[in-house]
Amino acid sequence: QPMGFYQPAQLVQDARRHGVEVRPVDVAASHWDSTLEPPADGGEQPAVRLGLSLVKGLTRAGAERLCAARAEAAFASTEDLALRARLDAADLKALATGDALHSLSGHRRQQLWQASALHAAPALLREAPVDEDFLALPAAAEGEDIVLDYAHLGLTLRRHPLALLRPQLARRGYAAAADLAAGADGAPAAACGLVTVLPPIFAREFGDAAVYCAPAEVGAKLRAQVRAHQPSDQQSNRAADRPGHGIAGFGQRQRGRKAAHHTTHGGAGGG
């Protein structure tokens, strides 16, 4: 993460825009740190496998036991993982909420259900299987999964959150980032994006937060000053921790030079 300036979500989005395949956190393949893997198409560009360190709440000791057990033999199920890696309920829940058990248990709700039934066994029963009838749960809606991705991983490989709100935002006059390039230089523009809070060393130059719209491949820039809406570092950090915290900026389209700062409106829920 260079200089702490860019968040993992921004780095992942930029890598994907440049054609790099980014693969999700997966107990069947991930190590503690993110790693490079061979490309699926046999090309020269390696893929990036996200690491277990991104899963909020997962202990490093638990992750190391997981990797050591996997090196001996692939996991046959979430139960097999829990028994051989000696994971406690907290580590299992962290993996499930981080969607890292998908290759063993399916969608996130199924992961949480299966993980909740498993606990670290005493030594005498460590190898004993647990017999329980399978209960198939419906998958979560896309929006729920995206919110949980940001809450428990800090990023998502699913659609950008604003893609779900685009029809409502369009009705309110907020342009998609791709549409900003179509307007005349200096014309009024309104856009909406997610807030990323910057460290104090960068805030002096760029303001307290950067606003990111989707997609980012635009020939025009709309910059917004949000300092007035974040009166303290503590409040800024809380805003950054809330998935879907968004801001709307009103300014002018600017090509090839820094845009003027104009009014902004902050609020939760991507708007």
Side-chain angles (χ1 to χ4, degrees):
Q1 191 170 330
M3 301 187 297
F5 188 101
Y6 297 106
Q7 300 297 319
Q10 297 165 244
L11 297 176
V12 165
Q13 290 170 15
D14 186 66
R16 297 177 83 185
R17 283 194 293 268
H18 286 84
V20 177
E21 181 188 0
V22 180
R23 296 170 180 169
V25 181
D26 186 349
V27 293
S30 293
H31 296 270
W32 180 250
D33 293 320
S34 297
T35 55
L36 297 179
E37 294 182 345
D41 58 5
E44 297 182 357
Q45 175 66 57
V48 174
R49 172 68 67 180
L50 297 179
L52 294 166
S53 61
L54 290 171
V55 178
K56 294 181 181 179
L58 177 65
T59 63
R60 178 141 193 181
E64 289 175 350
R65 290 196 303 274
L66 184 158
C67 293
R70 188 182 64 210
E72 295 176 358
F75 299 122
S77 63
T78 297
E79 179 186 344
D80 180 42
L81 161 67
L83 291 172
R84 289 170 47 207
R86 306 189 306 281
L87 298 183
D88 61 21
D91 276 342
L92 284 169
K93 182 178 179 181
L95 289 169
T97 53
D99 203 24
L101 299 173
H102 56 88
S103 61
L104 299 176
S105 295
H107 59 75
R108 187 183 256 118
R109 287 182 176 175
Q110 203 70 50
Q111 294 173 49
L112 285 164
W113 176 263
Q114 293 187 18
S116 67
L118 300 172
H119 304 278
L124 184 62
L125 301 175
R126 190 162 295 159
E127 303 301 324
V130 177
D131 266 336
E132 187 175 88
D133 292 337
F134 179 78
L135 175 64
L137 299 175
E142 183 183 14
E144 179 181 326
D145 267 330
I146 290 173
V147 169
L148 290 173
D149 283 346
Y150 276 101
H152 298 285
L153 294 170
L155 57 86
T156 187
L157 298 183
R158 296 176 171 89
R159 289 196 294 167
H160 191 283
L162 290 188
L164 304 181
L165 301 173
R166 186 56 57 200
Q168 297 95 309
L169 294 173
R171 287 195 294 270
R172 296 183 182 186
Y174 298 119
D179 297 333
L180 293 177
D185 190 24
C192 185
L194 297 184
V195 173
T196 296
V197 177
L198 301 180
I201 189 173
F202 299 112
R204 288 192 294 271
E205 179 177 355
F206 297 101
D208 289 341
V211 180
Y212 293 90
C213 303
E217 306 90 332
V218 296
K221 295 182 179 179
L222 179 70
R223 297 192 59 188
Q225 173 61 270
V226 298
R227 189 186 307 275
H229 298 282
Q230 296 176 344
S232 71
D233 289 340
Q234 185 178 8
Q235 289 182 352
S236 295
N237 290 334
R238 286 202 300 269
D241 289 339
R242 289 197 299 268
H245 189 81
I247 195 162
F250 299 87
Q252 293 179 325
R253 294 179 174 87
Q254 299 286 322
R255 302 179 188 278
R257 62 183 184 277
K258 187 181 293 186
H261 291 156
H262 289 273
T263 307
T264 61
H265 297 283

